[in-house]
Amino acid sequence: MASYNKEQAAGDDLHNVVTIIMHEHGVGLTAALEHAAQMHAERARHALEDLWPAVRALRFSPAVDAALAFYAEGLMNWPRGNDSWTFESQRYFGTDGPRVQRERTVALYPKREAADPNK
């Protein structure tokens, strides 16, 4: 969702989940963001409450169990690491990332004019 603002300003948001939800469901930006947030919350709940306990209950051998636990914990930490990178890298929010992370509000960038391919 963080990429939506940057991509919509550049006119390159056709493959963004927010834009896809807007088109598929015929809704505006706010409803699309709410829908995406709901989808994310459900997937996070499923991963944490259903899948994670099932993976932790698997038993093979001590070596395989340790390797599986290490791998699964890495997979579970990946989204959080990506979330941190989104706000700290300045790619999507510039130097405003810490405020956006704290307040979860973003002012939409104005759309830029596409470059003339003939120049």
Side-chain angles (χ1 to χ4, degrees), residues 58-79:
L58 292 174
R59 295 291 176 259
F60 299 98
S61 70
V64 171
D65 293 350
L68 178 60
F70 179 79
Y71 180 75
E73 287 179 26
L75 288 176
M76 295 297 286
N77 284 315
W78 182 359

Side-chain angles (χ1 to χ4, degrees), residues 45 47 51 68 72 75 90 97 108-109 112 119:
R45 186 214 57 77
L51 300 178
L68 178 60
L75 288 176
Q90 298 186 9
L108 288 180
Y109 299 140
R112 297 188 304 254
K119 289 186 180 182

Side-chain angles (χ1 to χ4, degrees), residues 9-45:
D12 186 27
D13 62 345
L14 295 177
H15 300 100
N16 187 285
V17 68
V18 175
T19 304
I20 291 168
I21 292 169
M22 290 168 70
H23 289 289
E24 285 190 3
H25 296 273
V27 297
L29 178 58
T30 300
L33 289 168
E34 290 170 354
H35 185 82
Q38 183 181 21
M39 287 172 38
H40 175 270
E42 174 52 32
R43 282 164 177 77
R45 186 214 57 77

Side-chain angles (χ1 to χ4, degrees), residues 43-60:
R43 282 164 177 77
R45 186 214 57 77
H46 177 61
L48 293 171
E49 295 178 14
D50 302 332
L51 300 178
W52 183 242
V55 169
R56 301 227 358 135
L58 292 174
R59 295 291 176 259
F60 299 98

Side-chain angles (χ1 to χ4, degrees), residues 9-12 111-119:
D12 186 27
K111 289 193 182 285
R112 297 188 304 254
E113 287 190 35
D116 186 345
N118 298 318
K119 289 186 180 182

